[in-house]
Every structure is written in structure tokens, then in C-alpha cells.
Amino acid sequence: MTSAAIPIARLNHAVLYVRDLDRSVDFYRRVFGFEEISRMRNFMAFLRAAGSTNHHDLGLMAVGANAPRPPRGSTGLYHLAWEVPRIEDLARAAEVLSAEGALGGASDHGATKSLYGHDPDGNEFEIMWPVPREQWGEYESDAIVAPLDLEEELRRHGERAP
């Protein structure tokens, strides 16, 4: 780190543009259990994750029903990654996202196990579980994208694992 580097501690919150504020707040409340803590008139809402120490973890800003979506592959944000504490939580997330019609895929990244989904506006997110660091092995300095075998990961890393 150079003396001019900014000492970042962690990502505190994200803000997304959405077409319909009520629809998006409802989605994030149902799927992630976020609590709406504040609303600025009818164009912005602030949500907090359960147990979070942040004022808010997600801001949603309404831009109107006809707002265009950036074309895939254009510059800008690709996705947000939400971390879950246990592999069982990742399995539960797969069920919730499937029931919502919001599950887009699943990947094994070696050091992390991930699901991908999208909100009602098509904003992509990742829900990921980090493998304990002492088990990263070769993935300490490598990143992969492989199919995720969630049942195998539950057997390997779940609370009832050997």
C-alpha cells in the first residue's frame, strides 16, 4: 500500500436504480429479509439487513417505469455479492430464489460457492458463501468458474459434515 492509498475497511452499502420502488422494496424484503428504515418521498428507500451494523445496506432509487436498462456488456456495475454465514444458508437461498423465479445460475469458485440471481429490474446479484480460509488450498491464488454441486458442498461443509 502506498501512502496515498485510501484505507478501505469494507463495502458499506450499495444503491441501485429501479423502475418501481414499491415492487423492489417488496422483493428485497421477501427475498433477503431487509427492513425498510427510511423513505425519501416516493423516489428513494433505504433498507437494512438483519443484524447489520450499517445505517443501511441497500438504497433503491426510482427512475420510472420506462427507464432503459444498460445493454449487457456495457461498462458499469455487473453485480453485487451478498455473503451468507453458512453453506446451509446458501442452500436455503437456492430454494428462495427458485421460488421467486429469480435464480439465474450457480458456480463453484474454489474459495467461494455462489448463486446468481436478479431482481425485478434485472439487477444481478450474487449470494456467496466463503469456504473457510484454511481450506482454500490451491485457490489461495487462483480463481475458477466451475459448476456448483450444492449437495456435495453441504456434505463437505455442512453442520452435519464428518
Side-chain angles (χ1 to χ4, degrees):
M1 181 169 82
T2 67
S3 61
I6 300 169
I8 300 298
R10 65 186 178 93
L11 181 64
N12 182 273
H13 68 273
V15 178
L16 299 174
Y17 290 122
V18 298
R19 291 184 184 97
D20 182 315
L21 191 60
D22 290 330
R23 177 185 70 176
S24 294
V25 167
D26 179 60
F27 176 84
Y28 284 98
R29 288 178 71 172
R30 283 184 293 108
V31 172
F32 291 100
F34 281 117
E35 170 191 12
E36 182 178 346
I37 58 158
S38 179
R39 193 174 284 225
M40 294 173 65
R41 293 185 291 281
N42 205 26
F43 76 92
M44 191 154 192
F46 298 93
L47 295 91
R48 183 182 305 133
S52 175
T53 59
N54 293 335
H55 174 268
H56 62 280
D57 296 288
L58 184 64
L60 301 172
M61 184 179 292
V63 292
N66 297 318
R69 176 147 177 82
R72 186 160 181 82
S74 63
T75 58
L77 180 67
Y78 173 35
H79 68 254
L80 303 172
W82 305 102
E83 182 178 323
V84 294
R86 302 171 318 127
I87 189 68
E88 291 86 358
D89 298 318
L90 192 66
R92 176 70 182 129
E95 295 171 2
V96 170
L97 294 176
S98 291
E100 289 288 329
L103 182 62
S107 294
D108 181 340
H109 297 298
T112 64
K113 312 304 175 187
S114 300
L115 302 174
Y116 294 89
H118 53 84
D119 75 5
D121 287 292
N123 292 310
E124 189 168 330
F125 54 82
E126 175 182 354
I127 301 176
M128 53 81 63
W129 175 74
V131 173
R133 182 123 191 206
E134 64 274 7
Q135 296 176 28
W136 285 4
E138 66 186 282
Y139 303 115
E140 177 74 34
S141 59
D142 193 10
I144 64 166
V145 179
L148 177 63
D149 184 341
L150 194 50
E151 290 301 317
E152 175 58 28
E153 298 302 335
L154 282 165
R155 281 191 290 281
R156 182 179 306 151
H157 298 289
E159 288 185 2
R160 293 185 222 139

